PDB file of all heavy atoms in Angstrom:
ATOM      1  N   MET A   1     -73.669   7.905  71.762  1.00 38.00           N
ATOM      2  CA  MET A   1     -73.844   7.173  70.503  1.00 38.00           C
ATOM      3  C   MET A   1     -73.901   8.119  69.338  1.00 38.00           C
ATOM      4  O   MET A   1     -73.308   7.854  68.310  1.00 38.00           O
ATOM      5  CB  MET A   1     -75.143   6.337  70.548  1.00 38.00           C
ATOM      6  CG  MET A   1     -75.118   5.192  71.554  1.00 38.00           C
ATOM      7  SD  MET A   1     -73.956   3.913  71.106  1.00 38.00           S
ATOM      8  CE  MET A   1     -74.751   3.297  69.664  1.00 38.00           C
ATOM      9  N   LYS A   2     -74.621   9.262  69.474  1.00 40.00           N
ATOM     10  CA  LYS A   2     -74.702  10.221  68.387  1.00 40.00           C
ATOM     11  C   LYS A   2     -73.335  10.827  68.091  1.00 40.00           C
ATOM     12  O   LYS A   2     -72.975  11.076  66.948  1.00 40.00           O
ATOM     13  CB  LYS A   2     -75.722  11.319  68.725  1.00 40.00           C
ATOM     14  CG  LYS A   2     -77.157  10.822  68.712  1.00 40.00           C
ATOM     15  CD  LYS A   2     -78.087  11.958  69.021  1.00 40.00           C
ATOM     16  CE  LYS A   2     -79.541  11.481  69.004  1.00 40.00           C
ATOM     17  NZ  LYS A   2     -80.511  12.548  69.319  1.00 40.00           N
ATOM     18  N   ARG A   3     -72.561  11.086  69.208  1.00 42.00           N
ATOM     19  CA  ARG A   3     -71.232  11.691  69.030  1.00 42.00           C
ATOM     20  C   ARG A   3     -70.319  10.743  68.271  1.00 42.00           C
ATOM     21  O   ARG A   3     -69.577  11.149  67.397  1.00 42.00           O
ATOM     22  CB  ARG A   3     -70.675  12.044  70.412  1.00 42.00           C
ATOM     23  CG  ARG A   3     -69.401  12.867  70.340  1.00 42.00           C
ATOM     24  CD  ARG A   3     -68.967  13.297  71.700  1.00 42.00           C
ATOM     25  NE  ARG A   3     -69.971  14.177  72.293  1.00 42.00           N
ATOM     26  CZ  ARG A   3     -69.912  14.638  73.537  1.00 42.00           C
ATOM     27  NH1 ARG A   3     -68.939  14.229  74.323  1.00 42.00           N
ATOM     28  NH2 ARG A   3     -70.834  15.455  74.006  1.00 42.00           N
ATOM     29  N   LYS A   4     -70.415   9.470  68.582  1.00 43.00           N
ATOM     30  CA  LYS A   4     -69.585   8.492  67.882  1.00 43.00           C
ATOM     31  C   LYS A   4     -69.981   8.387  66.418  1.00 43.00           C
ATOM     32  O   LYS A   4     -69.149   8.276  65.535  1.00 43.00           O
ATOM     33  CB  LYS A   4     -69.717   7.124  68.544  1.00 43.00           C
ATOM     34  CG  LYS A   4     -69.029   7.053  69.902  1.00 43.00           C
ATOM     35  CD  LYS A   4     -69.142   5.662  70.469  1.00 43.00           C
ATOM     36  CE  LYS A   4     -68.454   5.572  71.826  1.00 43.00           C
ATOM     37  NZ  LYS A   4     -68.558   4.226  72.397  1.00 43.00           N
ATOM     38  N   ALA A   5     -71.264   8.436  66.138  1.00 43.00           N
ATOM     39  CA  ALA A   5     -71.731   8.364  64.749  1.00 43.00           C
ATOM     40  C   ALA A   5     -71.279   9.569  63.962  1.00 43.00           C
ATOM     41  O   ALA A   5     -70.899   9.473  62.791  1.00 43.00           O
ATOM     42  CB  ALA A   5     -73.269   8.240  64.727  1.00 43.00           C
ATOM     43  N   PHE A   6     -71.299  10.736  64.617  1.00 41.00           N
ATOM     44  CA  PHE A   6     -70.856  11.954  63.938  1.00 41.00           C
ATOM     45  C   PHE A   6     -69.363  11.868  63.595  1.00 41.00           C
ATOM     46  O   PHE A   6     -68.928  12.224  62.519  1.00 41.00           O
ATOM     47  CB  PHE A   6     -71.148  13.159  64.846  1.00 41.00           C
ATOM     48  CG  PHE A   6     -70.620  14.455  64.285  1.00 41.00           C
ATOM     49  CD1 PHE A   6     -71.316  15.101  63.263  1.00 41.00           C
ATOM     50  CD2 PHE A   6     -69.435  15.006  64.742  1.00 41.00           C
ATOM     51  CE1 PHE A   6     -70.831  16.289  62.740  1.00 41.00           C
ATOM     52  CE2 PHE A   6     -68.955  16.181  64.227  1.00 41.00           C
ATOM     53  CZ  PHE A   6     -69.652  16.835  63.219  1.00 41.00           C
ATOM     54  N   LYS A   7     -68.602  11.377  64.577  1.00 45.00           N
ATOM     55  CA  LYS A   7     -67.158  11.239  64.342  1.00 45.00           C
ATOM     56  C   LYS A   7     -66.890  10.259  63.199  1.00 45.00           C
ATOM     57  O   LYS A   7     -66.032  10.477  62.355  1.00 45.00           O
ATOM     58  CB  LYS A   7     -66.464  10.757  65.612  1.00 45.00           C
ATOM     59  CG  LYS A   7     -66.379  11.824  66.683  1.00 45.00           C
ATOM     60  CD  LYS A   7     -65.624  11.294  67.890  1.00 45.00           C
ATOM     61  CE  LYS A   7     -65.470  12.366  68.974  1.00 45.00           C
ATOM     62  NZ  LYS A   7     -64.760  11.851  70.153  1.00 45.00           N
ATOM     63  N   SER A   8     -67.687   9.199  63.175  1.00 48.00           N
ATOM     64  CA  SER A   8     -67.509   8.209  62.102  1.00 48.00           C
ATOM     65  C   SER A   8     -67.860   8.785  60.751  1.00 48.00           C
ATOM     66  O   SER A   8     -67.176   8.576  59.757  1.00 48.00           O
ATOM     67  CB  SER A   8     -68.372   6.981  62.388  1.00 48.00           C
ATOM     68  OG  SER A   8     -68.274   6.056  61.331  1.00 48.00           O
ATOM     69  N   SER A   9     -68.966   9.583  60.733  1.00 50.00           N
ATOM     70  CA  SER A   9     -69.369  10.206  59.466  1.00 50.00           C
ATOM     71  C   SER A   9     -68.329  11.210  59.002  1.00 50.00           C
ATOM     72  O   SER A   9     -68.010  11.324  57.803  1.00 50.00           O
ATOM     73  CB  SER A   9     -70.731  10.883  59.626  1.00 50.00           C
ATOM     74  OG  SER A   9     -71.709   9.925  59.959  1.00 50.00           O
ATOM     75  N   ALA A  10     -67.826  11.989  59.940  1.00 48.00           N
ATOM     76  CA  ALA A  10     -66.806  12.986  59.589  1.00 48.00           C
ATOM     77  C   ALA A  10     -65.554  12.318  59.026  1.00 48.00           C
ATOM     78  O   ALA A  10     -64.937  12.786  58.061  1.00 48.00           O
ATOM     79  CB  ALA A  10     -66.472  13.822  60.832  1.00 48.00           C
ATOM     80  N   ALA A  11     -65.162  11.211  59.606  1.00 51.00           N
ATOM     81  CA  ALA A  11     -63.975  10.497  59.116  1.00 51.00           C
ATOM     82  C   ALA A  11     -64.204   9.956  57.730  1.00 51.00           C
ATOM     83  O   ALA A  11     -63.318   9.978  56.873  1.00 51.00           O
ATOM     84  CB  ALA A  11     -63.637   9.357  60.090  1.00 51.00           C
TER      85      ALA A  11
END
Side-chain angles (χ1 to χ4, degrees):
M1 293 293 292
K2 290 181 180 179
R3 189 175 297 175
K4 288 183 180 180
F6 175 78
K7 287 183 178 179
S8 177
S9 298

